[in-house]
Amino acid sequence: MPRKPKNLMFRTTRQNSGNDNKKFAAILIASVVLILAVSIFVIMSKNDFDVKNVLGGDAVSETQAQPVDTQENEIEASKTYFLWCADDSENSLYFAWLVNFTLPERRVTVCALDLDTRLDEAGSIRQVFKSDGIKELVSCMEAAFETDIDGYIGSDDGSFKSMINYFGGIDITVPEQIEYRSGDLTVILVKGRQNLKGDSLFKYLRYLGTLGEKGRSLQAAALSEMLDFVFKPSNLNRCSSIFSRISNTLETDLTIVDYSSAEEGIKQFVENGISSKRTADTPEEMEE
């Protein structure tokens, strides 16, 4: 009679299936582990095996601590412009300024001009403008004041008022109550800071022109406030539209090429505002 084999084990179909599942699970786990290991190695190699960078530890504080190099974006410039307003026939100046813009300081220097200032043998500012026009006046002022004027922007009373109204009026500080009537000029304003539309601001500036040196100082202060109103962050996306409005409304020798070359500097003033303002009693003092 044949001998029965010892230790013979019988497995059910369920047992065999369970073992197959365990083998599959083990293979799957091993595959996932291998993929994770390869992924971790790749990520570590891209971060020079720096665990802190991989895990993102102190990422914000490290970014804040790194110095920002702004030298490449820093613009150095100094530009002087002649701004003026004349009557409709452009024979007589009402008021005028020289204004200098300096970067990177974002400094503005304003000089309200005495229109009776003589430009050597050529006559006064007022006379040269009336007899020879704006281009000759700019040339004479450059020679008399020994300065470069990089451009001019001028208006008559109608275009001045239109430009001011384009901005919705300008916030101006009127130092004292005004009740003035003389000839064709009537000015009635209360004391304090207020929004002046084109007609009121035009009359206010004309009135200041009757006050001599004190009036010119207030004209310079008024232009400074006007520039504050233009060079503010809310106008950042309007820069090109504002220039287009100026070139189409006012008289200027500034072209789209001039605007494009100065655009980054203009945006620095607009985005950050004017950092410091000064007024000068004479054009010569603007260089100090």
Side-chain angles (χ1 to χ4, degrees):
M1 185 174 180
R3 181 179 299 176
K4 295 180 178 180
K6 295 182 180 180
N7 300 325
L8 185 63
M9 298 180 65
F10 295 92
R11 292 182 173 84
T12 64
T13 301
R14 179 178 296 178
Q15 287 174 323
N16 285 331
S17 176
N19 288 337
D20 289 341
N21 289 339
K22 288 179 181 179
K23 290 180 181 179
F24 177 76
I27 294 172
L28 179 61
I29 292 171
S31 299
V32 171
V33 170
L34 179 61
I35 292 172
L36 287 174
V38 172
S39 299
I40 291 172
F41 178 82
V42 171
I43 293 172
M44 291 288 290
S45 64
K46 288 183 177 181
N47 288 272
D48 296 325
F49 297 94
D50 188 332
V51 176
K52 182 181 288 187
N53 283 342
V54 173
L55 297 178
D58 297 329
V60 174
S61 61
E62 287 186 4
T63 300
Q64 293 174 342
Q66 292 177 352
V68 179
D69 184 8
T70 60
Q71 295 300 315
E72 293 183 0
N73 297 324
E74 188 172 271
I75 298 174
E76 294 186 5
S78 178
K79 300 288 186 180
T80 299
Y81 300 96
F82 177 50
L83 311 181
W84 50 270
C85 181
D87 62 12
D88 290 337
S89 62
E90 295 192 356
N91 287 325
S92 180
L93 283 173
Y94 285 130
F95 41 84
W97 302 272
L98 283 177
V99 54
N100 174 267
F101 297 88
T102 302
L103 286 170
E105 296 87 350
R106 301 198 323 276
R107 183 178 67 244
V108 170
T109 304
V110 176
C111 175
L113 295 171
D114 179 354
L115 302 180
D116 293 318
T117 300
R118 290 194 61 82
L119 306 175
D120 298 328
E121 71 281 354
S124 68
I125 294 174
R126 193 190 307 274
Q127 291 169 333
V128 174
F129 179 82
K130 183 175 182 178
S131 62
D132 300 317
I134 181 61
K135 292 184 179 180
E136 181 63 24
L137 174 59
V138 168
S139 178
C140 288
M141 287 195 298
E142 287 183 315
F145 303 144
E146 297 182 349
T147 189
D148 292 326
I149 297 176
D150 298 285
Y152 61 80
I153 301 175
S155 63
D156 57 31
D157 52 358
S159 57
F160 175 88
K161 296 172 186 178
S162 176
M163 198 70 214
I164 297 303
N165 290 336
Y166 170 74
F167 289 103
I170 303 290
D171 291 345
I172 296 292
T173 302
V174 178
E176 56 189 17
Q177 184 170 324
I178 301 170
E179 292 186 16
Y180 178 85
R181 295 176 179 86
S182 178
D184 65 340
L185 181 60
T186 298
V187 184
I188 300 176
L189 291 171
V190 298
K191 178 181 179 179
R193 189 167 178 80
Q194 54 202 285
N195 183 272
L196 297 185
K197 296 301 190 289
D199 185 63
S200 296
L201 182 54
F202 172 74
K203 290 178 178 178
Y204 175 61
L205 291 170
R206 278 193 63 189
Y207 162 75
L208 294 178
T210 68
L211 302 180
E213 185 176 345
K214 174 186 176 182
R216 288 192 298 275
S217 178
L218 291 174
Q219 283 179 337
L223 180 61
S224 293
E225 290 185 294
M226 292 162 66
L227 295 174
D228 269 334
F229 208 78
V230 174
F231 292 103
K232 60 182 180 179
S234 60
N235 285 332
L236 184 59
N237 295 325
R238 300 176 60 199
C239 288
S240 59
S241 297
I242 291 172
F243 176 77
S244 178
R245 182 77 180 207
I246 289 173
S247 62
N248 290 327
T249 305
L250 308 180
E251 181 177 349
T252 180
D253 62 344
L254 300 175
T255 67
I256 187 62
V257 175
D258 296 319
Y259 171 76
S260 297
S261 65
E263 185 173 12
E264 289 306 313
I266 293 171
K267 287 184 175 180
Q268 284 196 23
F269 272 102
V270 176
E271 186 172 12
N272 302 290
I274 297 171
S275 178
S276 64
K277 296 180 290 185
R278 346 174 11 243
T279 59
D281 293 333
T282 66
E284 291 80 6
E285 292 178 8
M286 295 182 70
E287 302 296 328
E288 297 179 358

